[in-house]
Amino acid sequence: MKKRILSMMLISALLVSATGCAGKKADATPASSEASTAAAAPASTAASTTGDIKVGVILKTLSSEYWSYVAAGVNAAAKDLGVKVDLQGPASETAYDEQNNMIETMLAGGINAFVISPLQSESVASVIGDVKIPIITVDTDAEIPGKIAFVGTGNDKAAYQGGLYAAEKAGKGAKAVIIGGVEGNATSDARQAGYERAMKENGIDVVSVQYAQSNPDTAANVMENMITAQSGNIQIVLCHNDDTAAGAATACKQSGLKDVVIVGFDGNQSGVQNIIDGTISATCAQSAYTMGYKAVESAVKAVKGETVKSFVDTGCEVISSDNAKDYLEKLKGYLK
């Protein structure tokens, strides 16, 4: 009897063991299938992973045409890459405290990467501190702990291209003035350096450099004072943005100063329209939309542990009467 009971127990154990093995094989089949699907369609797997990534983006402002292009690029990248983006910007490019407060709040809210276009590089770096997430600067660079990349225009190179255009139009021996944005700003300094290099290489004297805080009315007053100081002997006006160029053009017109080569910077719709209308001569067009897109793209790559270039140059194109109409249509397409 005991032998019979032992035999029955042995049979039962074997059956349980067989059932357990069968269960393991059944579990292994879906896992193998999932691995095969992931290899065949990596984009689908990546989308489900990136959907959890949140990128914080704070621009210099959202209340200008130029920054609306950057914002459009940010939103397009978020959609294409399937990530969440918190996009903010202060009321103006001089709202320093407002931007710093935004930074503090955003960093405390739980983001995986941070994209910033600093209004004041040093104060922004101080507010950010030593955070443990990837930092991307866009449009304007800054020395920030944790920064892994700068996405934007090579401002020196772009201004140099605009300066070469002006030098060719005005000719050797011309007199040039520069109207900057904000003195001491890294972007303004780089643009000034590029303009000055182009002038020097072409035998053109820069007789005055003044700043207009990127305001067209201020630029008009600055330009009027320059015209008076130089007795009207000015053939080239090199500006740090398109609004400044428009203000300078107004002063030239009111002073009766003609045949002046006026170069702006940014390539906004208003600036390009001014070229078409003959108000200014050219603009150094930044690819603001591409900046926004590439900044988010770089941030996502960093979060995923992929290689990110330390400088992503989004390029520049000199817009003149030759290509202004085509470029204007391109700009309008970004905001549709």
Side-chain angles (χ1 to χ4, degrees):
M1 182 67 178
K2 288 182 178 180
K3 289 182 178 179
R4 185 178 177 185
I5 291 171
L6 288 169
S7 177
M8 290 176 68
M9 289 176 66
L10 180 59
I11 292 169
S12 296
L14 289 170
L15 287 171
V16 170
S17 175
T19 303
C21 290
K24 288 181 180 178
K25 286 181 180 178
D27 289 343
T29 302
S32 175
S33 176
E34 286 175 7
S36 176
T37 301
S44 175
T45 304
S48 63
T49 304
T50 56
D52 296 328
I53 295 176
K54 184 176 182 180
V55 180
V57 181
I58 297 180
L59 304 180
K60 288 186 177 180
T61 184
L62 295 177
S63 59
S64 76
E65 182 189 329
Y66 174 80
W67 290 105
S68 68
Y69 296 131
V70 181
V74 166
N75 290 326
K79 182 178 179 181
D80 290 350
L81 301 174
V83 298
K84 301 180 184 73
V85 165
D86 182 2
L87 173 62
Q88 298 181 30
S92 73
E93 292 193 36
T94 54
Y96 310 119
D97 290 340
E98 184 183 359
Q99 188 184 60
N100 289 342
N101 290 336
M102 284 180 171
I103 293 169
E104 287 184 341
T105 303
M106 185 174 285
L107 291 178
I111 53 176
N112 303 107
F114 184 47
V115 175
I116 178 69
S117 184
L119 289 174
Q120 286 184 320
S121 299
E122 291 184 4
S123 65
V124 164
S126 178
V127 172
I128 292 174
D130 189 19
V131 297
K132 304 302 181 184
I133 58 174
I135 306 293
I136 309 289
T137 53
V138 62
D139 178 80
T140 301
D141 200 7
E143 292 303 318
I144 299 173
K147 185 193 76 174
I148 61 171
F150 166 56
V151 179
T153 305
N155 285 289
D156 182 301
K157 181 180 177 181
Y160 177 75
Q161 292 175 352
L164 290 181
Y165 171 88
E168 182 179 347
K169 288 292 182 182
K172 189 173 182 179
K175 303 292 183 183
V177 297
I178 297 175
I179 303 180
V182 179
E183 187 173 7
N185 178 276
T187 299
S188 291
D189 290 348
R191 292 177 187 178
Q192 180 176 327
Y195 281 144
E196 289 178 336
R197 183 158 52 90
M199 296 301 99
K200 184 177 180 180
E201 288 181 5
N202 286 274
I204 296 172
D205 291 333
V206 176
V207 295
S208 181
V209 177
Q210 295 189 36
Y211 298 87
Q213 311 304 313
S214 301
N215 182 287
D217 292 334
T218 305
N221 292 331
V222 167
M223 187 69 223
E224 185 178 350
N225 292 336
M226 285 177 163
I227 292 170
T228 300
Q230 299 300 323
S231 302
N233 186 18
I234 299 171
Q235 290 76 45
I236 297 173
V237 182
L238 304 169
C239 302
H240 286 211
N241 63 36
D242 290 336
D243 289 343
T244 300
T250 298
C252 288
K253 183 177 181 180
Q254 291 176 346
S255 301
L257 195 62
K258 298 179 180 180
D259 300 324
V260 181
V261 180
I262 302 175
V263 178
F265 205 110
D266 285 339
N268 293 333
Q269 287 190 38
S270 57
V272 177
Q273 186 62 56
N274 279 338
I275 294 171
I276 294 171
D277 296 340
T279 304
I280 67 174
S281 309
T283 183
C284 307
Q286 303 187 83
S287 185
Y289 178 92
T290 304
M291 275 187 217
Y293 195 103
K294 290 291 184 181
V296 173
E297 184 180 63
S298 296
V300 172
K301 285 182 178 180
V303 172
K304 294 167 68 176
E306 298 177 11
T307 302
V308 178
K309 292 181 179 180
S310 59
F311 173 40
V312 180
D313 189 346
T314 50
C316 167
E317 183 178 1
V318 176
I319 306 302
S320 66
S321 58
D322 294 334
N323 55 358
K325 289 183 178 179
D326 289 341
Y327 193 77
L328 183 60
E329 292 306 310
K330 180 179 178 181
L331 290 177
K332 289 178 179 178
Y334 287 144
L335 302 181
K336 288 182 179 179

